[in-house]
Amino acid sequence: LVQLTASGGDSVQTGGSLRLSCAVSGSISRITSDYTHITWFRQAPGKEREGVAVFFTGAGDTYYADSVQGRFTASRDNAKNTLYLQMNNLQPEDTANYYCAAGRPPLRFDPSGYRFWSQGTQVTVSA
């Protein structure tokens, strides 16, 4: 059983930064061998869940949604079994509940393709 725990959400002003963490129970090496994608999603009130950043476990590279490209950076620390999402120059439209998820989706940002989800961590950006 894989358990993901997201943390690091907070309230910041426009232009501020936050770093979200996604702690993986057990070995991150095992989850990265079983699942091709570890992805950060977000969901704002009244909106659909949207993909933000993908960490491809095989190649070790990343992919970002256009809305966050150049501002967000995904990374991982195998020794700590943790993935991170560094978010810079935050804007009010980044306000949402953020989740990390692991799976083998046919489409990178299709939530139905992810098997394991963290609870959400709230990010609020004020103007």
Side-chain angles (χ1 to χ4, degrees):
L1 180 64
V2 173
Q3 186 170 1
L4 306 176
T5 304
S7 62
D10 205 343
S11 296
V12 297
Q13 293 186 331
T14 297
S17 297
L18 284 174
R19 187 177 77 162
L20 305 184
S21 299
C22 175
V24 180
S25 66
S27 169
I28 195 172
S29 296
R30 178 175 179 180
I31 191 175
T32 57
S33 68
D34 291 344
Y35 300 100
T36 56
H37 295 53
I38 301 178
T39 298
W40 287 96
F41 287 86
R42 66 185 181 187
Q43 188 167 20
K47 294 188 177 181
E48 293 186 353
R49 190 166 296 190
E50 65 169 340
V52 173
V54 181
F55 181 83
F56 297 101
T57 60
D61 57 358
T62 53
Y63 176 88
Y64 301 94
D66 289 344
S67 58
V68 306
Q69 178 72 46
R71 300 189 297 123
F72 290 13
T73 303
S75 62
R76 75 176 185 183
D77 185 333
N78 286 353
K80 295 183 178 180
N81 287 339
T82 301
L83 294 99
Y84 300 100
L85 184 67
Q86 177 67 42
M87 306 186 297
N88 298 327
N89 190 22
L90 283 161
Q91 302 297 312
E93 53 266 33
D94 296 317
T95 295
N97 217 357
Y98 283 71
Y99 305 82
C100 57
R104 305 176 66 92
L107 297 174
R108 63 175 73 96
F109 284 150
D110 180 0
S112 69
Y114 288 81
R115 181 175 180 183
F116 297 105
W117 289 84
S118 70
Q119 86 294 355
T121 185
Q122 179 67 37
V123 172
T124 302
V125 185
S126 58

